[in-house]
Amino acid sequence: AFKVKLSEFRGEDITEHEIVLLKQYIEDDSFTPEKMASKSAAAANLCTWVVNIVNFNRIYVKVKPLMDSLQAARESKAAAIASLEEAQRQVAEVQNTLAMLNEKYEEAVREKKEVEDQAEALTARADLAQRLVGGLASENVRWGEEIERLKSNALTLVGDCMLAAGFVSYVGAFDKDLREELWMNQWSADIKSRNIPMTEGSDPLQVLSDDGRNSKMVSEGLPSDRVSLENGAVLTNCKRWPLLIDPQAQAIKWLKKKEEGNLDIIQLTQKNWLKVLENAITNGRCVIIENIGTDIDATLDPVLSRSIYKKGRSLYLKLGGEEVEYDPAFQLYLQTKLSNPHYKPEIAAQCTLINFIATERGLEDQLLAKVVELERPDLEEKARALTAAAINYQIQLVELEDELLERLANAPDDILSDVPLIEGLEATKKTAQEINEAVESGKITKKEVDEAREAYRPQASEGAMLYFLLTKLCVIDHMYQYSLDSFMTFFEKSVRKAPAKDGLQERVISLRDSLRISIFTWVSRGLFERHKLIFLAQLTFNLMKRGIIGTEDWNEAQFQFLVRAPTKATDPNPLTWLPDTAWTATAALADIEEFGKFTSDLVEAAPRFREWFNAIAPEDEKLPLDWAGLDRQPFQKMLVVRCLRPDRMNSALTSFIRNTLPDGGAYIECDSTLNSIEILDSCLADSTPKTPIYFILSPGANVVADLDKKAAENGLQKGVSYHNVSMGQGQDIVAMSCLETAHRNGHWVILNNVHLMPKWLIELEKKLDEYGAEGSHEKFRVFLTSDPSNAIPIGILNRCIKLTNEPPAGLKANLKRAWCFFPKDYIEEADSKTKSILFGLCHFHSIIMERKQFGPMGYNMKYPFSIGDLRDSATCLQNYMDNIGGGKIPWQDLKYIFGEIMYGGHIVNDFDRLLATEYLNFYMKDELLDETEMYPFAEDEKGVSFMSPAPTSFEKYIEHIDKNMAGDTPIAFGLHPNAEIDFRTQQSNTMFNTLIELQPKGASSGEGAASPQQVAESTANEILDKFGEKNFDVEDLVRNLDEMGPYQNVFIQEMDVMNVLLDEIRRSIKELQLGFAGELTMSEAMEDLMMSLYMDRVPVSWAKRAWPSMKSLGSWVKNFSDRIFQLEEWMNNPSEIPKVTWLSGLVNPTSFLTAICQVTAQKNQWELDKLVTFTRITKMMTVDEVDGNSRDGAYIIGLSLQGASWDINGTQIEKSKPKEMFCPMPVINVKAVTKEKANIGGIYHCPTYMTEQRGPTWYFNAQLKTTSPPARWTLAGVALIGEIA
């Protein structure tokens, strides 16, 4: 109950009095719950309650008034809220009314806006439609025409694509003329003949590319001529890997820019090329394999043939035996610097060959830009800006048109709803209009600029002609390679060196003259002497063809006659003094219109023509009769000289060039006033760190001494800043180290005999390229020396300035050089005997060196005699002279040392060794110690002599040589004066044969002349008609023979050889005919056969199976027919030999001579090895004079004596008659005798050769009676020749 009371007790009701009473307890410190809890828990709870209820009361007393005020406020608020709600109800009613009104208003406004918007949209749509129609109006006509064209093309697309596909697949390897012949004349006509629809005048280039793409390729560096653009189109469209024939590196320069940033360039000689290629294949990069040869590494076969296979989702191919992942983005280009490579058919099948050889027109444009840039930089800058702008405009127009068409193609159904499309269309059309206006304006300006530039066109045109002239020189010798970059360097220098002129026309002439002499000087310094006139003739004839020089109109027929000198079978030669070859040549000359009467005049006025013919320099003499007028037409006069006196053609051509070419003497005598040091100095001025100097070595030349001198002048020290490396095994490391040092520090490096390490030269080429890209020290120079070699990389040769340093030509120059080789002090200190012998030795050295000019008549082989042989011989001489101490001179010892060891060490031919011995027998004798004749057997010649001087001073010897030795004469060598005619005739023939090689393959003798293929086809048919059915049935012959003797063996062997040759002729001609018919692919061997038939040369495959011969094909075929006839005659009576055997008509005449010995040995029971052949010359000149077979041997015929004549009455050898090159020999009786009987006095053992080539064609010695010493005929080079060309 107490607890209930407590819970119901109201704290609000406690009075103040009660509070006062409780205060004393509450304020008591002991009255706390804690302390009460120690006494009683109930007391503690009660204490807590009392304290809390009192506290509650105290708070309540304070809060109660506030609560009352709150209550009053709440009541007041409730009344206000009730009033507010009433007002809000009234407002809501008003607002509802207003909202209804607003909604009606907004509906009215919205309806109005919709009407206005619809009106505005319709107006805008009408405007857009108007703008769209207006924007496309200008395209309407063109697109209409384009649509019609496309509709037409839909029908002709098959033919156009067929033509373009053939163009990409097949024409890339050909030049401009052949391309046009193929697609324009043959393919187009063939497609039309098969009724395949094709656009009239379809052009593959337009099918494969367009103006925009062409402009883009040009902007990337591709030349802008038609052929280059075709090449670019083929390259970008072909599906096979492109193989670029790029000797001028124009294609690779373009590709480097085209594929920039995604390109790897490798060579197959690099060590890591396979790894680079593998990474490119995997990562889809572009690769250029540069500078490949005709044989391509077999490792590349899977790549070239695209042997790709799928494995899972990826593509793979095998490379180097390993599986490599293939990225379809991979692109491969192959490049070769070879100008006329021959690739196997499988390479042509796997690759698209593209001929990037610079065209003359394309190069002409480049040179025009260069000369104008140098002469009128303002003009060229303007031209370049216009060209660049035109290219950019063209590209932009194409891009804009493509963009426009793309937008229209992708427009929505309601095209008027695509406002950006219409705005873009307007912007595009505006830009296109601006561009077209700029293009038209540019065309006007460009026309004005082009007209100003065209004034320099002749200079550029001649420059292009000169460059293509240079590129053909490699036909003569592999060493003659010239890059376009090198040519451009000298082209620029020629412009800078050209003398200033007032008028523009005079300035252009000055530029052309400067270019001509600059290029000729640069090139001729790297040519051998024997090739300089050939190059100069080519230059002159090309200028004449273009009408630049010369007063005569160009006549192609006459030019072809000059270089080819054809002959014509005609009536027998009525003039005894005129060689038969000259007579047949004049018969051919008479076929030329202007020379129709020449042959008849030649016969009628024979004495006067003979006088002209016998003149020392007939080319400078007037011809008889009306032909004297040819002095005013020197080119036509050369034709007469070519026929009658071919030995004078070099002199005639030199004189013609001197008088025809402006300032011709400067070309003829180019560098003649400069010594080797001055020429080297000039070349050093032209060289750069990127341009090495290349010395092409000749026996006897010493280039290092000159270079040592120049190095010293430039302050370079041997082994420190001037490095001399002799190449050989292991020297490549040394060379690379020296090059690296020199490249960084500006040293000079000379690499000697680089031909000994041809493979390493490829590394050198790459290294020089690296140095060029990196930038070398400005004083860095590289010098290379080598013998001529086909193994030298083209990339090395064509970048170099080439120098030939041949030893002096001529006997006097050689003798002076040999004498001056010895120090003056050495000569002055020597005793008189030593001086005399040394002079004789120098004369012997000069004779040995110069005799080689007479070709096979001089030596059977070529020997590398040099000044070192003279030096070593002089050393031995000095040792002997020191040992004898003034006693008797050991001539035999000296002759043996000189003739068998020093000089003889080079000689491997017995007849050449005998020749050297006879020279030494003539010079090395006691008479040499005083004054004696130095020209062997010169007594018979009037006014031709050279005496050795009595011992005197060094200078007096030189003075004696200058004063007493006249010009070169064959007599100085012991040869007959006719030897010079033979030598010069051979020299002339060699020169013109080389000129023929340099002519374009399609060169003909005028309009309507047959092509090489037509000529070859005709010749092949004639030969096949002649020999097609010929064959010897040897087995049947052997079966029918009663007895097989030595002679029968000889003729059967000859028949076997003839059968093999006949089979090869038939096989090769039939194969060629199949090639002409298109049934076989033309191989390199077939092409060679075709060119041999065209050039009237014996094909190589025939020559290998035939006898040695120097004849032209026509003469060779006649000779072949005669040989077969002799064998056929023998077959009629095989048991006996012919009463006179045509010995030179046998393939192996040695076997016939052996048969004579065998028959004699069998008949007399003699030992075969003790027998030799012995010849007796009869007085019978023809076979008809012979009654029957020889009783003791065999009669032979068909030999001619060269170098001497035969006295048929005195039956002995004698001196040749003037201008008699060959003396036909009578019938010769050859018998077998013992060696003892053959060794009799008064006999010259005359070597007998199959051809004029001599050397390896020797087969026996004939015994000829002589009253002169045999040594005379040995020195005269007298020999019997079986076949005269």
Side-chain angles (χ1 to χ4, degrees), residues 712-853:
E713 287 179 10
N714 283 273
L716 300 171
Q717 187 178 350
K718 270 191 177 182
V720 179
S721 53
Y722 172 48
H723 310 279
N724 190 327
V725 183
S726 293
M727 300 309 295
Q729 189 172 4
Q731 289 296 97
D732 51 339
I733 299 171
V734 177
M736 280 299 186
S737 174
C738 292
L739 285 168
E740 196 66 39
T741 304
H743 153 66
R744 302 193 182 284
N745 301 313
H747 297 171
W748 286 11
V749 179
I750 177 170
L751 305 178
N752 289 294
N753 299 317
V754 294
H755 60 281
L756 300 176
M757 303 187 70
K759 291 184 179 178
W760 175 77
L761 288 176
I762 299 170
E763 292 182 38
L764 175 63
E765 181 185 352
K766 200 73 178 174
K767 182 61 70 175
L768 292 176
D769 288 338
E770 289 176 14
Y771 290 162
E774 183 181 331
S776 302
H777 192 288
E778 61 179 8
K779 292 185 177 180
F780 170 56
R781 293 291 185 276
V782 178
F783 305 88
L784 307 170
T785 77
S786 84
D787 291 344
S789 170
N790 291 344
I792 309 294
I794 294 173
I796 288 285
L797 290 172
N798 64 17
R799 75 178 67 205
C800 295
I801 297 172
K802 286 173 279 295
L803 279 177
T804 54
N805 190 359
E806 295 179 272
L811 188 59
K812 179 188 282 191
N814 264 286
L815 181 55
K816 286 176 67 176
R817 178 172 180 262
W819 184 253
C820 294
F821 174 76
F822 299 102
K824 182 178 180 181
D825 295 342
Y826 173 79
I827 300 291
E828 299 293 357
E829 293 171 4
D831 60 71
S832 60
K833 289 182 179 179
T834 303
K835 286 181 182 178
S836 295
I837 298 172
L838 188 60
F839 183 79
L841 184 61
C842 288
H843 189 85
F844 168 73
H845 171 81
S846 306
I847 289 287
I848 286 288
M849 289 289 290
E850 275 298 292
R851 189 178 170 101
K852 64 186 177 186
Q853 70 176 305

Side-chain angles (χ1 to χ4, degrees), residues 556-568 580-589 592 638-646 649 985 988-990 992-993 995-996 1005 1095-1096 1112 1115:
E556 183 66 23
Q558 292 180 9
F559 173 71
Q560 291 297 326
F561 186 93
L562 179 69
V563 295
R564 297 180 187 275
T567 57
K568 180 182 178 182
D580 288 342
T581 52
W583 176 251
T584 55
T586 54
L589 181 63
I592 296 177
M638 278 201 299
L639 304 186
V640 177
V641 178
R642 180 83 163 109
C643 292
L644 300 182
R645 287 292 302 275
M649 271 312 301
T985 302
S988 167
N989 290 339
T990 301
F992 282 111
N993 286 338
L995 280 171
I996 292 171
S1005 56
M1095 302 292 288
D1096 197 28
S1112 63
S1115 301

Side-chain angles (χ1 to χ4, degrees), residues 135-136 138-147 149-150 210-213 392-410 421 424-433 435-436:
L136 295 177
S138 60
E139 298 293 337
N140 184 42
V141 175
R142 190 172 66 83
W143 283 354
E145 293 173 352
E146 184 71 10
I147 288 168
R149 189 182 67 81
L150 290 173
D210 54 38
D211 291 342
R213 290 176 187 170
N392 288 332
Y393 290 155
Q394 194 68 52
I395 294 171
Q396 286 180 41
L397 281 172
V398 173
E399 289 176 349
L400 287 171
E401 184 176 341
D402 290 346
E403 181 185 351
L404 171 62
L405 292 172
E406 183 182 359
R407 284 188 173 186
L408 288 173
N410 297 325
L421 168 64
L425 170 63
E426 288 180 324
T428 298
K429 292 304 297 178
K430 183 180 180 183
T431 306
Q433 187 175 355
I435 289 174
N436 283 323

Side-chain angles (χ1 to χ4, degrees), residues 104-143:
K104 290 180 180 179
Y105 172 74
E106 286 173 359
E107 177 65 21
V109 170
R110 186 178 62 76
E111 288 178 358
K112 177 187 175 186
K113 183 72 167 62
E114 284 180 359
V115 172
E116 289 176 345
D117 287 348
Q118 189 173 2
E120 184 179 348
L122 289 172
T123 303
R125 190 173 178 82
D127 182 54
L128 287 172
Q130 184 64 37
R131 288 162 64 186
L132 179 62
V133 171
L136 295 177
S138 60
E139 298 293 337
N140 184 42
V141 175
R142 190 172 66 83
W143 283 354

